[in-house]
Amino acid sequence: VQLVESGGGNVQAGGSLRLSCAASGFAFRDYAVGWVRQAPGKEREGVSCITNSDRSTYYTDSVKGRFTISSDNAKNTVYLQMNNLQPEDTAVYYCAAESIYRVRDIGYGTNCGNPLDYGSWAQGTQVTVSS
């Protein structure tokens, strides 16, 4: 499993960024892919995830209505569109992936679960939002 992120950067409050996660080395449609973030001095937080087979999604409450996750199975790429960014969104964002079968075994059923539980992670990309 290989995950390569891109799209982080610096933006002012209210601005937008789109993160991309290009995947290879596994059957993309049989995986859930998500994003985890870690702000300085804070624990990692599962932000969002999507199952590539049926496009079911999950968002943590603090990003609902502002972030949108999507999946392009033809490109084996998952995107996280982040709008109306706020300083509290500043963090290192990690793309993560897990087999939907393992997600199911963990106990999440047919949805994408929580990306904190995924086993494959990308290198992380910094997102900095200034006020």
Side-chain angles (χ1 to χ4, degrees):
V1 174
Q2 185 174 12
L3 304 170
V4 179
E5 295 181 1
S6 61
N10 300 321
V11 65
Q12 289 191 329
S16 298
L17 285 173
R18 188 177 80 158
L19 304 181
S20 299
C21 178
S24 61
F26 60 92
F28 191 70
R29 287 183 60 89
D30 290 339
Y31 270 66
V33 179
W35 299 87
V36 173
R37 68 185 179 186
Q38 187 166 24
K42 294 187 177 181
E43 294 186 354
R44 287 182 174 178
E45 174 188 30
V47 176
S48 180
C49 60
I50 186 169
T51 52
N52 294 323
S53 55
D54 64 4
R55 304 289 201 277
S56 64
T57 58
Y58 157 84
Y59 297 94
T60 194
D61 285 346
S62 62
V63 308
K64 286 179 180 177
R66 300 188 299 122
F67 291 12
T68 302
I69 192 168
S70 61
S71 177
D72 186 336
N73 286 358
K75 295 182 178 180
N76 284 9
T77 301
V78 172
Y79 304 97
L80 186 68
Q81 178 66 42
M82 305 184 293
N83 296 331
N84 191 22
L85 283 160
Q86 300 300 314
E88 52 266 33
D89 295 314
T90 295
V92 177
Y93 284 71
Y94 300 88
C95 173
E98 185 56 78
S99 160
I100 57 173
Y101 307 107
R102 184 171 183 277
V103 171
R104 190 180 304 166
D105 288 344
I106 292 173
Y108 288 114
T110 58
N111 64 35
C112 62
N114 189 324
L116 282 171
D117 292 323
Y118 293 178
S120 299
W121 292 59
Q123 76 282 1
T125 187
Q126 178 70 45
V127 171
T128 302
V129 185
S130 57
S131 58

